[in-house]
Amino acid sequence: MASENVPLVDLRAQYLALKPEIMAAFEEVLEGMQLFIGPRQKAFEQEFATYCGCQYSVGNASGTNALELALRACDIGPGDEVITVSNTFIATVEAIALVGAIPVFVDIDPETYLMDWRQLESVLTPRTRAIVPVHLYGHPVEMQPVMDFARAHGLRVIEDASQAHGATYQGQRVGSFGDVGCFSLYFSKNLGAFGEAGICTTNNADLAEKMRMYRDHGSRVRYLHEVIGSNARMDELQAAVLLIKMPHLERWNAARQAHAQTYTEQLRDVVDAVPVVRDWGSHVYCYYVIQIPQRDQFRAALQEEGIGTNIHYPTPLHLQPACAQYGYKAGMLPVTEALASQIVSLPMYPELTEKQLQHVINTVKKYASSLASNR
Ligand SMILES: *Cc1c(COP(=O)(O)O)cnc(C)c1O
C-alpha cells in the first residue's frame, strides 16, 4: 500500500481553495492603499462579533495583543493577581506579565484538561483581580461556575478563546461570557489569517472603546494621545483574508468534528484517553489530543509512516524558565504535570481525507498492538 503523508496541519489546502478570491481582495486592498483600520477590518469585526453573539469586537494584531488589550482595558496592572492555568500556550501568561500583573495557576480537570473551577477559592487573595479561563484545544471551560465565582468576588473574566472559535457552552459561543473574549487569528487556528492577527469580543461599550484606543497608540483622534497605548492594529491584508474565510468557519469546524468522531470511535479502546466532550458544550478540535504510553516512541513510529504529531504542550508554564520568578515548583500542579508527559496531538484540519484518517488510525492501532505484544 502506498503510504499517505499526513501532516499535523495542512495550511495550503485552504489557501488553494480560496486563492482566486483572496488574490482579488489583495489587489483591491493594495490599489486602495488603506492598509490599517480599513473597511475590511470593520466588516470582519462586525461579522465576528455577530457570530460570537457579542455587540462589539476589536480587531488587532495577534492573540497575545488581544489578551493584553483586554487586561489593560479592565485596568489590570502591577501587583494585581490573575488566576489562570499552566496547561496553555505561553501567550496567556505573557499577556498577564506584560501588563505588570502576576499569574496565579490552578490545576486542571483530569478529563477535559481545562481549568478546574473548584480550585479558584483556594488561590483567591485580596489582590486577585481577574480570571483568564482558556478554552484549550477547542473545548469550552465550564463557564457558569467561573462566572458565578467571579461575580461573587468582583473579579473580571477574560476568556482566552484562541483555540475555540465557534465552540459553545450551553448553546452560547465562547468569547461572549466574560468581560472580554480574546481570539488569536494566527494562521493555524480554526480561523486564521495569512500571518498574525487577533480579535477581542465584548458586550461592554466602554471596554470596546478602551481597547480600540490602546491598539492605536492610545488615540481616538489622530495625534491626540489620551493614554500610553501600543501598536496593535489589524493589518487590512489580513482582514481581507479573514473576511473571505469567515463564512467557511462553521463548515470547517463541522469537518473537524466529523474527523474527531472517526478518530474517537476507532481509537477509544486503543489509546489511554481520547478527548472528552461534556454534554453542556461543543468541541471544535483545534487540536485532537490523546494520551498514549511511551509517547516519544509513539511519535517516532508515526513519523516513520509520514504522520506528523505534536505536543500541546510539553512543559507546563509554571515550570518554564520564564516563570521561575513566580515561585512554582514541580509537584504543585500534579494533574497538569502528569498530563504533559502523556499527551500527543494527532493530525487535525478540515481538509483531512478519509484515506489520511484511516492511515493515521491504522498506524496508531499497529503501534498499540506492538506495545501489547511486548508486554
Ligand atoms: C495561539 C494562542 C495564543 C496567542 O495567539 P498569537 O496570535 O499567536 O499571539 C494565546 N492563547 C492560546 C491558548 C493560543 O493557542
Side-chain angles (χ1 to χ4, degrees):
M1 193 183 76
S3 138
E4 185 88 5
N5 271 338
V6 194
L8 183 73
V9 285
D10 178 0
L11 297 161
R12 271 180 70 80
Q14 267 175 22
Y15 160 63
L16 294 175
L18 301 171
K19 186 174 175 179
E21 252 181 290
I22 287 168
M23 287 309 179
F26 279 175
E27 200 171 330
E28 265 183 55
V29 172
L30 293 173
E31 290 295 328
M33 271 299 151
Q34 191 172 354
L35 298 180
F36 294 95
I37 325 258
R40 285 176 173 78
Q41 180 202 293
K42 287 182 191 128
F44 174 67
E45 285 176 333
Q46 186 60 55
E47 282 199 24
F48 195 79
T50 305
Y51 177 77
C52 293
C54 284
Q55 266 180 287
Y56 312 100
S57 81
V58 179
N60 50 65
S62 73
T64 312
N65 280 162
L67 289 161
E68 192 183 347
L69 294 173
L71 288 160
R72 285 202 66 191
C74 289
D75 292 321
I76 310 298
D80 294 339
E81 292 179 2
V82 179
I83 305 172
T84 190
V85 287
S86 176
N87 184 37
T88 177
F89 182 55
I90 185 71
T92 314
V93 163
E94 275 173 337
I96 294 167
L98 284 169
V99 301
I102 300 157
V104 174
F105 299 110
V106 288
D107 214 339
I108 53 174
D109 177 310
E111 291 182 358
T112 61
Y113 315 151
L114 305 177
M115 175 177 276
D116 182 0
W117 56 265
R118 291 166 196 84
Q119 298 186 19
L120 291 171
E121 189 85 52
S122 68
V123 295
L124 187 73
T125 78
R127 291 177 304 279
T128 308
R129 294 286 314 284
I131 305 172
V132 180
V134 184
H135 307 296
L136 201 72
Y137 307 142
H139 192 288
V141 171
E142 191 172 4
M143 288 308 292
Q144 190 62 53
V146 173
M147 294 310 298
D148 290 347
F149 184 86
R151 296 297 175 243
H153 299 282
L155 309 177
R156 296 288 201 169
V157 175
I158 292 157
E159 295 169 70
D160 186 345
S162 294
Q163 299 185 6
H165 316 65
T168 57
Y169 169 73
Q170 291 181 346
Q172 185 183 329
R173 291 235 158 83
V174 299
S176 63
F177 292 92
D179 296 280
V180 183
C182 299
F183 296 81
S184 168
L185 301 165
Y186 180 67
F187 73 140
S188 63
K189 309 283 170 151
N190 291 49
L191 180 65
F194 286 164
E196 307 279 356
I199 195 163
C200 299
T201 51
T202 184
N203 283 308
N204 182 320
D206 179 50
L207 291 179
E209 182 71 10
K210 282 186 177 155
M211 291 189 291
R212 273 185 213 112
M213 201 158 65
Y214 286 131
R215 80 173 168 195
D216 195 12
H217 301 294
S219 68
R220 282 182 277 202
V221 176
R222 200 162 186 211
Y223 299 131
L224 172 61
H225 307 287
E226 298 172 51
V227 290
I228 295 294
S230 180
N231 178 359
R233 295 170 303 219
M234 182 182 274
D235 176 328
E236 187 74 354
L237 286 169
Q238 302 303 342
V241 175
L242 292 163
L243 194 57
I244 290 167
K245 285 189 171 191
M246 185 69 212
H248 302 280
L249 176 59
E250 279 291 279
R251 183 171 57 80
W252 288 334
N253 279 345
R256 288 174 185 271
Q257 287 165 342
H259 302 329
Q261 195 181 336
T262 306
Y263 273 149
T264 295
E265 278 165 9
Q266 302 213 35
L267 298 178
R268 184 184 282 130
D269 301 325
V270 175
V271 300
D272 285 350
V274 292
V276 160
V277 188
R278 293 286 189 233
D279 56 11
W280 40 250
S282 71
H283 197 321
V284 293
Y285 298 100
C286 185
Y287 300 120
Y288 187 90
V289 178
I290 61 167
Q291 291 188 52
I292 190 109
Q294 300 178 35
R295 176 186 64 193
D296 297 338
Q297 248 172 273
F298 173 77
R299 295 190 69 201
L302 265 66
Q303 191 63 51
E304 285 280 294
E305 301 279 345
I307 298 167
T309 60
N310 206 351
I311 302 169
H312 300 101
Y313 295 89
T315 304
L317 298 186
H318 70 288
L319 302 178
Q320 291 281 355
C323 295
Q325 56 187 309
Y326 305 121
Y328 287 84
K329 300 264 177 303
M332 291 173 89
L333 298 171
V335 182
T336 300
E337 290 166 29
L339 186 77
S341 61
Q342 284 154 20
I343 44 174
V344 186
S345 304
L346 297 182
M348 176 53 78
Y349 49 91
E351 297 80 7
L352 266 176
T353 64
E354 202 54 44
K355 207 172 150 198
Q356 288 176 315
L357 273 172
Q358 276 316 318
H359 179 50
V360 178
I361 288 164
N362 293 340
T363 309
V364 175
K365 285 182 173 168
K366 195 167 86 185
Y367 173 81
S369 62
S370 79
L371 267 189
S373 63
N374 284 344
R375 272 184 190 146

